Amino acid sequence: MFSSIAHFFKKVVTHPGLRKKVLITALILLVFRIAAHIPAAGIDKNSLSALFAGSPLLSLLDVFSGGTLANFSIMALGLNPYINASIILQLLGYVIPSLEELQKEGEYGQEKINQYTRFLTVPLAIMQSFGMYMLLKSQNVIGNLSISQLIILCLTMTAGTMFAVWLGDLITEYAFKSGISFLIFVGIISRLPITLGQTISTFNSQDILKLIIFGVSAIAVIGLIIFVNEAIRQIPISYAKASRGLRQSSSYLPLRLNQAGVIPIIFAVSLVLMPSMVTQFLSASNNSAIISISGAIQKFFNPTSISYNVIYFLLVVGFTYFYTSVVFNPEKISENLQKSGGFIPGIRPGSSTIKYLSYVLSRITLVGAIFLGSVAVLPSLFQKTVGSTNLAIGGTGVLIVISVVLEIVREIEGDLLMSKYEGFSR
């Protein structure tokens, strides 16, 4: 296995095109990490660290910002507004006919949708920066700012977000296709040295067995995630062709076991952790009744409680079904098959094909939804074993890292394969 990995990297280094992509990506990431450590003014870092330690939602947002939110740098919002804008436009594409038509227009339509996504990112970044200021102000992390200072702060954080989006676009244009995902991947990976340093500093001989159990479990979970992420259900498709009699050519329709990816977990964790964030505002109230209500809500949605994990699991399952129904439309698949002369053997075209695809999709989606829900709540199962408190990030971070790595490896393998045929093309 290690010799295969070494041979893979050797081919990457010796390939001129891939070497150029790697160097460009490394330069862009260097600029990104330098900008991520330029702090914003007027922040009490000790109070900010305490706030993030007690808020899993803010810790999750810090993951997608690449660690810039906990430091409250000029890129504190990171790519969060862009992710929200892309999700909103993707959902609106199934409601607004004009956006739906753009999604069908190939490269031109995708360019227009990306342009609309950037336009929507700006107001979302302004609103999120103002909301972050109000949260930090309620927790005495930042003092009162004048109107001009507040405008400058919001514009600075918005500019930081757009700068991060621009860096991701540069990676997409000159290096790897998924530049935004790659920046999120780097943001998650960049936290590993800090986590490992904290683990080593608190390590003692009594934790050896716990670390072994955690290491073995982590390897098994990573292998299972890769297996499920690559799993597909192949539905055979036949095409009738009239040439010297009636002949049939066969193919298959691949249905991924995990159609929704990591999006359901992002939706679910944002919703299930929202009450904890609201209680941080309510706890500052002078009303004893409001304080008691906020305490009860915070206890019910404590990440270590059974109620939190059950609700979290059910939300992930529900959002998986919802998002799968959005991204995969059996009616469109059936219509496209009829237009191309394809059919599923033993299934009549039209409504019967739609019912069959819906039936198969619902069954494999159930497996994928249960798997995503299990991965989402898995960190809480290890909390008492390894003493981890970062419950929300564990499953989401692992899924994002594995998905991005698999996508980059497939792209590199495709480039290496194409280089073998360059002589024939010349």
Side-chain angles (χ1 to χ4, degrees):
M1 181 184 68
F2 289 107
S3 62
S4 300
I5 295 175
H7 182 63
F8 176 79
F9 281 104
K10 182 180 179 180
K11 290 194 294 184
V12 171
V13 173
T14 56
H15 191 282
L18 289 175
R19 185 169 62 247
K20 180 181 178 181
K21 288 185 177 181
V22 172
L23 291 176
I24 291 175
T25 303
L27 179 61
I28 294 174
L29 292 182
L30 178 62
V31 175
F32 176 71
R33 295 309 301 171
I34 291 175
H37 286 84
I38 300 176
I43 301 296
D44 185 354
K45 289 191 175 182
N46 294 328
S47 301
L48 185 65
S49 300
L51 175 62
F52 274 79
S55 177
L57 177 59
L58 293 179
S59 299
L60 177 69
L61 295 178
D62 187 44
V63 168
F64 298 110
S65 67
T68 60
L69 189 57
N71 299 325
F72 208 81
S73 69
I74 59 174
M75 301 175 66
L77 295 180
L79 296 166
N80 295 306
Y82 181 83
I83 295 173
N84 295 334
S86 60
I87 292 174
I88 290 172
L89 281 178
Q90 190 172 12
L91 295 177
L92 290 178
Y94 296 89
V95 178
I96 302 176
S98 58
L99 287 177
E100 185 178 5
E101 291 298 326
L102 280 178
Q103 292 177 348
K104 297 178 181 179
E105 291 184 7
E107 185 176 353
Y108 170 77
Q110 189 61 42
E111 290 180 358
K112 296 297 291 184
I113 291 177
N114 291 337
Q115 185 180 11
Y116 295 154
T117 303
R118 294 181 184 90
F119 289 153
L120 183 59
T121 301
V122 174
L124 287 179
I126 293 175
M127 289 188 294
Q128 290 187 21
S129 59
F130 179 75
M132 185 58 60
Y133 163 73
M134 295 301 296
L135 173 63
L136 297 180
K137 180 182 176 182
S138 67
Q139 300 297 319
N140 298 321
V141 177
I142 188 173
N144 292 322
L145 299 179
S146 63
I147 299 298
S148 60
Q149 291 175 329
L150 180 59
I151 292 176
I152 292 174
L153 178 63
C154 293
L155 291 179
T156 301
M157 297 176 70
T158 302
T161 294
M162 300 310 297
F163 181 66
V165 172
W166 179 66
L167 292 178
D169 290 339
L170 287 179
I171 296 177
T172 302
E173 183 176 358
Y174 296 105
F176 300 103
K177 295 180 181 178
S178 54
I180 300 296
S181 300
F182 195 84
L183 289 182
I184 297 174
F185 161 78
V186 171
I188 298 173
I189 295 298
S190 64
R191 299 169 59 91
L192 288 180
I194 300 176
T195 304
L196 292 177
Q198 294 175 349
T199 302
I200 294 174
S201 62
T202 59
F203 175 78
N204 57 69
S205 58
Q206 298 178 351
D207 295 332
I208 294 179
L209 181 60
K210 295 179 181 180
L211 291 177
I212 293 175
I213 294 174
F214 176 76
V216 173
S217 302
I219 294 174
V221 168
I222 291 174
L224 183 61
I225 290 175
I226 295 175
F227 175 78
V228 174
N229 193 62
E230 298 296 299
I232 59 174
R233 167 73 156 84
Q234 297 182 357
I235 297 179
I237 304 294
S238 295
Y239 296 90
K241 292 185 177 180
S243 176
R244 294 183 182 179
L246 187 62
R247 297 189 306 172
Q248 289 185 355
S249 61
S250 61
S251 180
Y252 65 87
L253 174 67
L255 296 182
R256 300 184 66 90
L257 187 63
N258 182 15
Q259 291 273 354
V262 74
I263 297 299
I265 292 184
I266 298 175
F267 283 174
V269 76
S270 301
L271 186 60
V272 77
L273 292 178
M274 192 61 67
S276 299
M277 190 173 180
V278 174
T279 55
Q280 292 181 354
F281 289 97
L282 297 179
S283 61
S285 175
N286 296 325
N287 193 320
S288 59
I290 295 178
I291 295 177
S292 61
I293 292 174
S294 65
I297 295 175
Q298 193 167 8
K299 183 178 179 180
F300 185 80
F301 286 95
N302 189 340
T304 60
S305 64
I306 297 178
S307 57
Y308 168 88
N309 287 281
V310 170
I311 294 175
Y312 187 17
F313 180 85
L314 294 177
L315 284 175
V316 171
V317 173
F319 278 120
T320 302
Y321 270 96
F322 167 74
Y323 195 75
T324 301
S325 65
V326 169
V327 300
F328 187 89
N329 191 340
E331 296 181 359
K332 292 183 180 179
I333 299 296
S334 176
E335 182 181 351
N336 293 333
L337 285 176
Q338 281 187 292
K339 291 180 180 179
S340 60
F343 62 94
I344 301 175
I347 306 297
R348 291 183 177 182
S351 60
S352 298
T353 300
I354 297 175
K355 291 180 181 179
Y356 178 77
L357 291 176
S358 301
Y359 171 73
V360 175
L361 185 64
S362 63
R363 295 184 68 181
I364 64 175
T365 301
L366 177 62
V367 179
I370 293 176
F371 168 76
L372 284 179
S374 301
V375 171
V377 302
L378 186 63
S380 63
L381 302 179
F382 288 100
Q383 184 187 16
K384 294 183 180 180
T385 304
V386 298
S388 174
T389 58
N390 201 356
L391 302 181
I393 296 175
T396 307
V398 171
L399 280 172
I400 293 174
V401 168
I402 292 176
S403 300
V404 174
V405 168
L406 290 176
E407 186 175 352
I408 292 176
V409 168
R410 281 193 292 264
E411 184 176 347
I412 292 176
E413 289 178 344
D415 290 341
L416 292 175
L417 183 62
M418 289 296 296
S419 64
K420 296 182 180 180
Y421 297 97
E422 288 180 355
F424 295 101
S425 63
R426 295 195 188 101

